[in-house]
Amino acid sequence: MASSPVKPGDSVPDVTLYDGKPDNKVKLRDLYKGKKGLIFGLPGAFTPNCSTYQLPHFLTRNEELRDAGIEVMVCVAVNDPFVMEAWAKHNKVDGQIHMLADKDMELTKALGIVMDCEPVLGNKRMKRWSGIIEDNVFKTVNLETKDGGNAYTISGVDTILGQLKELDAK
């Protein structure tokens, strides 16, 4: 487990996530190799903020993100792959975003962003966050800290788009 939360300059961990079925493994590093992308994590599929704000905002602004240079988009949560697939269908993601399950919390632990949701959701989950990745290196990390990670203030699309402009200006 990471001793401190992920930060800019850290490498994307070499972890396996799941797409739709437990046998459909995805190596996260393979998705970002030689590419510019974004990733956003959330406590769980079908939960209020995640379903009302976070995922819908990334979907409705997909084209704007792509125009800003994003080649790969990943949404990840501590759920099983069947739940993530059902959530993708429910939200008509249609392949615009990779909807990946961190069913064993491999990524969550490696990034040091475990959140205790046992009283409400029954288990530990991933804190709400987002980041920009270039060729497997985090360029930005936006980790929500208010209310144990349940707030949605700094990990959204507006933050990512602003950071993309700043990175392009450098």
Side-chain angles (χ1 to χ4, degrees):
M1 185 183 295
S3 57
S4 60
V6 61
K7 62 189 177 313
D10 288 350
S11 294
V12 170
D14 187 18
V15 297
T16 301
L17 300 173
Y18 302 85
D19 186 4
K21 297 174 182 56
D23 60 348
N24 194 5
K25 297 177 181 181
V26 175
K27 296 296 269 181
L28 191 60
R29 292 184 60 79
D30 290 347
L31 290 177
Y32 293 105
K33 186 176 182 179
K35 294 186 178 168
K36 185 178 195 174
L38 69 83
I39 186 169
F40 62 99
L42 37 89
F46 293 106
T47 57
N49 276 349
C50 306
S51 293
T52 305
Y53 304 108
Q54 198 165 14
L55 178 59
H57 288 166
F58 281 95
L59 280 171
T60 59
R61 298 186 67 191
N62 181 356
E63 190 173 315
E64 192 175 350
L65 289 160
R66 300 242 182 239
D67 289 347
I70 294 296
E71 300 169 88
V72 177
M73 285 191 257
V74 170
C75 172
V76 63
V78 177
N79 286 111
D80 68 64
F82 299 116
V83 169
M84 290 299 285
E85 181 179 46
W87 196 41
K89 286 179 183 174
H90 177 80
N91 285 283
K92 298 176 178 74
V93 171
D94 300 324
Q96 298 173 75
I97 300 171
H98 295 272
M99 302 292 286
L100 303 179
D102 188 18
K103 69 179 186 68
D104 300 315
M105 291 185 62
E106 191 177 350
L107 178 63
T108 305
K109 290 175 184 175
L111 296 177
I113 56 172
V114 177
M115 181 171 63
D116 184 4
C117 292
E118 291 184 51
V120 178
L121 300 175
N123 60 352
K124 292 186 182 350
R125 299 288 179 112
M126 175 180 284
K127 290 181 180 180
R128 189 179 313 282
W129 71 289
S130 66
I132 297 170
I133 298 170
E134 287 185 35
D135 197 19
N136 283 316
V137 174
F138 284 97
K139 296 299 180 180
T140 68
V141 175
N142 313 300
L143 183 61
E144 299 287 355
T145 56
K146 188 177 176 189
D147 296 328
N150 289 324
Y152 180 55
T153 58
I154 64 167
S155 60
V157 176
D158 289 333
T159 299
I160 292 287
L161 286 167
Q163 290 171 332
L164 285 165
K165 287 178 186 172
E166 288 176 20
L167 289 170
D168 286 345
K170 288 182 182 180

